Amino acid sequence: MKKKIALIFGVTGQDGYYLTKLLLKKNYIVHGVKRRSSSVPTKRIDIFLNQRNFKLHYGDITDFSSIQSLIKKVKPKEIYNLAAQSHVGVSFYTPLYTANVNAIGVLAILEAIKNSNNKIKFYQAGTSEMFGKVREKKQNEKTNFNPQSPYGAAKVFAHQITKNYRDAYNMFASNGILFNHESPIRGENFVTKKIISSLTKIKYGMQKNLVLGNLYAKRDWGHAKDYVEAIYKIVQKKKADDYVISTGRDYTIKEFVNKTAKILKMKLKWKGKGLHETAVDENNKIIISIDKKYFRPLEVDYLRGNSYKAKKELGWKTNLSIDDIIKEMVDFELRIINKL
Ligand code: NAP
Ligand code: F7E
């Protein structure tokens, strides 16, 4: 049987790694797109580089000509757009750049598909950040978008334009609305990875302390491995549609810290309030403090998803709990510092 061909924008990121692994296992030929950068950006996907069914190309979703030539050359059946400036906090410092990549870049891919072969299936990596400030206890596909950052606003444009191309040009163009998902290869400056990597090092005397921002935001955290399964299922549907992918459970950043400390067998005691809140160890030494530089000009206080539609129509469910995720991430850090 002829192998399916997939093209992944954002292949060097966290989800790019897990999706490539999944598609190669399903016998796809996977073409990934990397950007030129001053240091080697392929650390996560190095293990695929010598596989026959994996090919890497230079490109950038802000460069329409590169998207067009890649589609012409590769002739994909499926295109997964995972490429983004994906840090919400950073989007406040680079709003135009973020909009260019996260919004206009998506439109560029859709245009390139429309002009070449509108039978290609397209997936757009949408986000719970599009919901932003919410009133609903749980957010689903019908919840209104109210983004609170340049990142979230750009992703709303991407979501909407993906729907428009689906309806206007009869294209298979689907949106995932994925809630936070983590893994050992999560980017270093996302809060889960920062907490786990820092507390592990602190425990073994390799780092003095950890400085965080808002401890009271709530997030619905799943595992990237489970979430790329959902992405794959969304693209395998006969009809394009939009799906919320989440666990349905939420925790504060502080609860995440406490769970990590428990797994690491570290005793932390919280003291003080607001910017003066700290966590101290058994010797009263400050392990965690707060700095307002990690607060955002606008915060998304609360997110908790309802994935009933994905469960019913995709047969998707989350397998790994928050405790499984933390344990896997802690073990990964312990292996790096030779303590496991
Ligand atoms: P990530 O680790 O930050 O990966 C982002 C990827 O996009 C990287 O491969 C990056 O390349 C690439 N990229 C950035 N700008 C690009 C451009 N102009 N052209 C081509 N590629 C570009 O993000 P992730 O966690 O895997 O997330 C994947 C996607 O899902 C993103 O779109 C993100 O916004 C979205 N999302 C993520 C979550 C989550 O919790 N992880 C939740 C909802 C939605 P470099 O390696 O060169 O930087
Ligand atoms: O922040 C708070 C911060 O940066 C989570 C991206 O994958 O998921 C991710 O976006 C929360 C926020 O993720 C620090 O204020 C406290 O409330 O880990 P994060 P995010 O902003 O939720 C969504 C679904 C995406 O789509 C994005 O691409 O943690 N927080 N102290 C901190 N956050 C960071 N980064 N660093 C801190 O020191």
Side-chain angles (χ1 to χ4, degrees):
M1 210 172 80
K2 223 174 142 206
K3 285 184 172 30
K4 272 196 184 170
I5 300 174
L7 177 61
I8 305 180
F9 292 100
V11 76
T12 55
Q14 169 187 263
D15 292 5
Y17 163 80
Y18 283 102
L19 183 63
T20 301
K21 196 172 171 195
L22 179 74
L23 294 179
L24 287 175
K25 207 169 143 207
K26 292 191 182 288
N27 218 14
Y28 274 61
I29 295 176
V30 178
H31 293 263
V33 182
K34 69 167 176 179
R35 302 189 289 170
R36 194 270 156 186
S37 63
S38 64
S39 53
V40 183
T42 54
K43 198 173 83 185
R44 291 188 178 103
I45 54 162
D46 277 347
I47 60 156
F48 305 129
L49 293 181
N50 54 10
Q51 294 201 22
R52 204 161 31 95
N53 289 340
F54 182 73
K55 322 239 182 270
L56 204 51
H57 309 264
Y58 278 111
D60 192 303
I61 65 165
T62 60
D63 178 350
F64 183 68
S65 68
S66 76
I67 303 169
Q68 244 184 347
S69 345
L70 276 167
I71 293 179
K72 206 167 153 198
K73 185 170 162 193
V74 165
K75 296 188 178 50
K77 282 265 173 297
E78 296 169 5
I79 295 182
Y80 295 85
N81 178 37
L82 311 177
Q85 188 302 90
S86 70
H87 200 285
V88 176
V90 171
S91 78
F92 288 98
Y93 297 102
T94 60
L96 276 83
Y97 170 74
T98 301
N100 214 13
V101 178
N102 298 9
I104 304 302
V106 180
L107 176 56
I109 302 174
L110 288 163
E111 264 298 294
I113 296 175
K114 187 191 95 192
N115 295 342
S116 60
N117 167 11
N118 80 343
K119 293 283 163 275
I120 297 171
K121 288 182 156 185
F122 174 70
Y123 171 82
Q124 164 55 20
T127 165
S128 48
E129 283 296 306
M130 298 188 296
F131 294 127
K133 212 170 197 55
V134 291
R135 283 212 192 90
E136 293 82 347
K137 219 171 157 209
K138 283 191 169 190
Q139 299 84 53
N140 67 16
E141 294 78 6
K142 293 199 174 90
T143 305
N144 287 335
F145 294 144
N146 185 14
Q148 300 294 299
S149 64
Y151 171 82
K155 286 280 188 178
V156 170
F157 174 88
H159 177 95
Q160 205 53 46
I161 202 70
T162 298
K163 266 178 99 167
N164 288 164
Y165 271 60
R166 179 201 303 162
D167 298 338
Y169 307 115
N170 198 22
M171 283 167 51
F172 186 105
S174 291
N175 291 293
I177 306 175
L178 273 55
F179 282 60
N180 299 52
H181 46 280
E182 317 297 313
S183 76
I185 57 162
R186 181 63 146 148
E188 305 286 337
N189 58 357
F190 294 98
V191 79
T192 56
K193 178 77 171 178
K194 183 174 166 184
I195 291 167
I196 289 175
S197 153
S198 299
L199 287 185
T200 308
K201 291 194 185 93
I202 291 166
K203 169 154 172 136
Y204 290 100
M206 298 163 74
Q207 184 174 320
K208 284 207 171 100
N209 52 28
L210 163 65
V211 184
L212 291 171
N214 181 7
L215 293 174
Y216 295 98
K218 288 185 169 177
R219 289 292 182 273
D220 175 336
W221 281 293
H223 196 299
K225 189 170 169 233
D226 284 344
Y227 284 39
V228 300
E229 292 272 355
I231 293 176
Y232 176 73
K233 282 173 182 277
I234 291 171
V235 175
Q236 303 320 303
K237 287 291 285 184
K238 270 223 165 74
K239 209 165 155 274
D241 206 343
D242 308 325
Y243 293 93
V244 161
I245 304 299
S246 63
T247 72
R249 283 175 284 275
D250 64 281
Y251 301 89
T252 61
I253 313 303
K254 192 170 172 176
E255 283 169 321
F256 194 96
V257 168
N258 289 337
K259 281 179 173 291
T260 305
K262 196 170 169 204
I263 286 180
L264 279 165
K265 300 195 172 60
M266 291 168 83
K267 282 209 173 100
L268 291 183
K269 199 168 147 203
W270 291 94
K271 291 180 163 180
K273 275 203 167 128
L275 291 176
H276 303 291
E277 185 161 10
T278 56
V280 297
D281 68 8
E282 290 138 314
N283 305 317
N284 222 18
K285 186 177 157 269
I286 293 179
I287 300 294
I288 300 173
S289 59
I290 306 300
D291 190 321
K292 64 171 188 277
K293 81 172 175 200
Y294 293 114
F295 283 71
R296 295 162 186 183
L298 274 180
E299 177 63 282
V300 171
D301 299 315
Y302 169 79
L303 288 172
R304 185 176 178 192
N306 172 354
S307 286
Y308 176 75
K309 181 177 170 186
K311 194 173 167 193
K312 199 167 145 241
E313 294 185 14
L314 304 174
W316 177 85
K317 66 173 175 38
T318 184
N319 293 311
L320 296 156
S321 71
I322 189 166
D323 296 304
D324 298 330
I325 298 167
I326 297 176
K327 176 81 173 67
E328 189 189 337
M329 290 175 76
V330 165
D331 286 352
F332 180 86
E333 298 300 325
L334 288 174
R335 270 195 294 276
I336 290 177
I337 59 169
N338 284 325
K339 299 290 177 193
L340 192 75

